[in-house]
Amino acid sequence: MTTASTYQSLTSLSDATQRLQALKDLKNTVIGNTWKKVDVAHDSDVLDYLLALLSPDDFYDVTQVELVGEAATILGTLASGGALTVKPLVAARTPAHLVRVVHAFSAAQGRQSGAKLPGAVAVLAPVLRALRNVLSQTADLLWGHMRGVGVEQRVVGTGLVGDIGAVPTQRGVDSLAKLHGDGQSCEPTGERGKGKGHSYWKTDAADALELVFEPDNLAALLRVMQQTTDPRVLVPLYHMLARLALLPRHRTALLVWRPTTAATSTWAPIPPSSFLLDKLAVSLQTMRAPKMLEAVLELFAVLVQDPIASAAQGDKVVRVLEDLVVNASVGVRIAAAGCLTSVLRAESQRASVSTKLQILRTVQQLFADASGEDKIKLCFVLSSLVADDAALQCNAAEEALPTTLLDYLSELAAALPSSPSSPTPSPVQLNADLSARSLEAVLLALASLAFQHERTRVLISEHPGTLSTVRSALSHTSYGVRAAAAQLVRALSRTVALLRTSLVDAGVADALVALLRAEAAADPSTRDALGQRARTVEIAATAALCNLVTDFSPLKATLISDGGVAMLVGLVDGDVPALALNAAWALKNLVYHSPETLKMDVLRELGADKLRALLAPTGPHGGSLRPQALELLQNLVADVTPPELMRVVDALGDDLVPLLAAAAASPDADLAVPALAAVANLALGTDALRTALAAHTPLMDAVSAALAAPNTALVLGAIRVVRMLVENPTRRRPRQAMADLLAPYEYRRRVRDIASTARRTDIVHAALVLSELLDRAH
């Protein structure tokens, strides 16, 4: 039956019972049939007919209630068809229509003087399921999947360098559903078809996702928890709130809401306890229905990220979560592990080592028999749990978790085509989206496990086929897989032995460079459509590259060829701070211990004006690249001949010494230390340059102050500056004229005092060498 005939058959029926049966037939037709869903979603007449049914006059009328339920069920089913069905649903303002039903039911319930409406479950369950489905699918399309990217959606925030994923707009959605004081909603407004074009779709989608957090709408949704305790109603509500509450203001709105009474306002100041949090905490202790518990745990894990929720947590809730991690169904144990991990990260000072170890053991116990989706969840739980915790990464290795994940990675690799673009069927039947998200999840988990643990890095590099899989993953069609693979390369590159052998021999390093080139040359229109999320892979890749190019000439040669330096310089000039920082760091490492020709190539490509701007306190990105610029300069003028050194100095001009003086005088050691190191290298230049340095009072005052600093690196840096200025390196004798010029600073006496009082042997040794040099000049 075509959609035209569907509409005709629906509208030709005057009897409510017949229309109900026709809706049931339509529901059975679209369930499991993606293209039928697409046909119905794109038929504006059928869609309008379904939306019009979401306006019951009497919630006591069983037939009206059933019509609402069937229409909502069909709309919720249509949402599962992906972008082809979600976009027309959003353009038709479907979420606003569904929220209006909740408002209408809440108002009708309020008129019952405490009596419960008989159709609560029959109305609210399908309506909230449909609202959850439409908005969750919209969020997946706009923001990316909660766990992994998949094959259609290209990117999602991964936490690799900082979450730069897309977030909901700050705009309100009053045009979607203007609510009157009586709680009734007027018709959703807005022209159908606004969603034509990508930018309009993004605006419509962002507005739809914001709809739930409009104060009146959120109040109506949260009042549902007072009207029923039925899991069929609350589970989709909890799932939806957990999926959409990404911004701190959203979480705060959920936490501060409390039921309206005669004495209080719905939006009162932050209460000592949260209605929603208390409701969830009680459910954790009393509810035993697995699906309900999973939904409660999922929402609880999101809310606990807010300081309000974090401060409200007690040991009792933690003990309940610890029990659920061990004694519950598989789904609940996984959800509890994720929730408990969120609680522990929010309350790091109270985090128990035994609790963390129990989560590790739970992940290990459940992983082998878990489904594909559950394995993804477990990988993300593990990655979050061990991140930035070297001791826990060691514990995970003792529990054999890296081996478990490596074996699973081998299974995934065997199920993938030999080439990401190959049409060859997989020998193992895997859903393409699930396969990509699984690969991303396990790569991210391995990266977290290996980041601060040497043995795990070695294990990964030696596991058969792993580096080959990582190399292939760097060119995967899924954006998330490429970013996760780059993050794993970054973790592996922290080991020098691997850096020089395994990664290069396996072709991983070259693949990383090729990836970075491909991402930098990506279609601008695609990048504009994705926003800053399009830079996720480049951020991860440049972070890995920073480690790979350090003092490693073969890879430097690969990067330099075909405009690699120009590519990095272009990224430094970009508008993404994290990417610019990584690119500047990579340039700094690129010139470390490099031939003079390479250093001059980098300076020429970067440009003296750009380097001066980066050295300035008011430089690009608020001066955040200044430490990297100082270290870049330090490396540019290290181990070079005086003529090459002076070429750098002449290029930077008269502003160079004042810029270095300002940095050396900074209370920030990240600026002062590289500034002093750069000055020490410059002191190996010509006599005229040394004189200019020694005669610059602000610079020498900064050097003098550094000698008395509590920071060891500053003291050593200051000693080296004075020594490089005074010592003739070829004759190992003092430059008398320079010693006389620096005499007012009393370095001879001060260095002798340092040598006699310092506790660190490196400072004592450096001070004694300089003291002897100054004694000979006296």
Side-chain angles (χ1 to χ4, degrees), residues 719-736:
I719 289 175
R720 184 167 180 266
V721 168
V722 177
R723 180 181 173 184
M724 294 302 101
L725 288 171
V726 174
E727 185 180 49
N728 186 327
T730 57
R731 300 182 180 181
R732 299 296 177 185
R733 296 175 56 185
R735 296 186 178 96
Q736 189 61 51

Side-chain angles (χ1 to χ4, degrees), residues 261-582:
T261 66
T264 63
S265 166
T266 302
W267 301 105
I270 296 174
S273 63
S274 164
F275 167 81
L276 179 56
L277 207 61
D278 291 345
K279 181 86 173 177
L280 296 176
V282 170
S283 295
L284 285 177
Q285 299 172 57
T286 60
M287 183 62 63
R288 285 297 171 262
K291 293 298 181 184
M292 182 68 171
L293 265 179
E294 289 178 38
V296 169
L297 289 163
E298 187 177 331
L299 180 55
F300 200 91
V302 172
L303 294 178
V304 79
Q305 300 174 38
D306 191 284
I308 300 173
S310 177
Q313 294 317 299
D315 293 336
K316 188 174 183 179
V317 172
V318 174
R319 288 197 296 271
V320 170
L321 293 174
E322 289 174 339
D323 180 65
L324 290 175
V325 167
V326 179
N327 303 310
S329 65
V330 172
V332 172
R333 292 179 69 187
I334 294 173
C339 185
L340 187 54
T341 297
S342 296
V343 172
L344 295 179
R345 290 188 67 83
E347 294 287 326
S348 57
Q349 69 276 13
R350 289 169 38 185
S352 165
V353 174
S354 61
T355 300
K356 292 180 178 180
L357 292 177
Q358 181 57 59
I359 298 175
L360 286 179
R361 286 191 288 269
T362 298
V363 172
Q364 178 68 294
Q365 292 166 7
L366 297 179
F367 200 88
D369 298 325
S371 67
E373 283 290 348
D374 284 345
K375 279 185 167 70
I376 292 174
K377 293 177 184 179
L378 289 168
C379 283
F380 275 93
V381 168
L382 182 60
S383 180
S384 176
L385 180 67
V386 305
D388 307 318
D389 191 330
L392 204 56
Q393 291 169 26
C394 180
N395 295 140
E398 293 172 354
E399 295 288 337
L401 274 163
T403 301
T404 298
L405 294 183
L406 286 169
D407 291 341
Y408 181 50
L409 180 62
S410 298
E411 294 177 20
L412 291 173
L416 292 174
S418 57
S419 169
S421 59
S422 171
T424 304
S426 168
V428 179
Q429 295 300 314
L430 282 182
N431 174 278
D433 184 78
L434 177 61
S435 175
R437 291 171 47 235
S438 299
L439 188 57
E440 176 186 352
V442 72
L443 289 171
L444 281 176
L446 285 170
S448 295
L449 289 170
F451 205 76
Q452 294 170 277
H453 194 244
E454 174 75 13
R455 285 173 52 198
T456 299
R457 292 194 287 263
V458 173
L459 177 67
I460 293 172
S461 70
E462 294 179 349
H463 191 271
T466 296
L467 292 185
S468 176
T469 301
V470 173
R471 183 186 65 231
S472 299
L474 289 169
S475 59
H476 197 279
T477 53
S478 168
Y479 211 84
V481 173
R482 298 199 300 275
Q487 180 70 344
L488 179 54
V489 174
R490 180 190 179 194
L492 295 177
S493 66
R494 293 165 62 89
T495 301
V496 175
L498 288 172
L499 174 65
R500 293 183 175 276
T501 53
S502 302
L503 292 175
V504 176
D505 294 344
V508 173
D510 287 346
L512 183 77
V513 175
L515 166 64
L516 192 54
R517 286 199 178 108
E519 297 295 334
D523 184 356
S525 63
T526 301
R527 178 165 292 154
D528 292 341
L530 293 172
Q532 285 196 336
R533 294 177 298 159
R535 299 293 192 174
T536 305
V537 172
E538 288 172 282
I539 290 173
T542 49
L545 192 64
C546 291
N547 294 336
L548 286 171
V549 299
T550 303
D551 194 24
F552 191 55
S553 54
L555 187 58
K556 288 183 179 182
T558 300
L559 181 63
I560 293 167
S561 63
D562 299 327
V565 174
M567 175 187 64
L568 290 174
V569 169
L571 296 178
V572 171
D573 287 333
D575 57 357
V576 183
L579 182 55
L581 174 64
N582 287 351

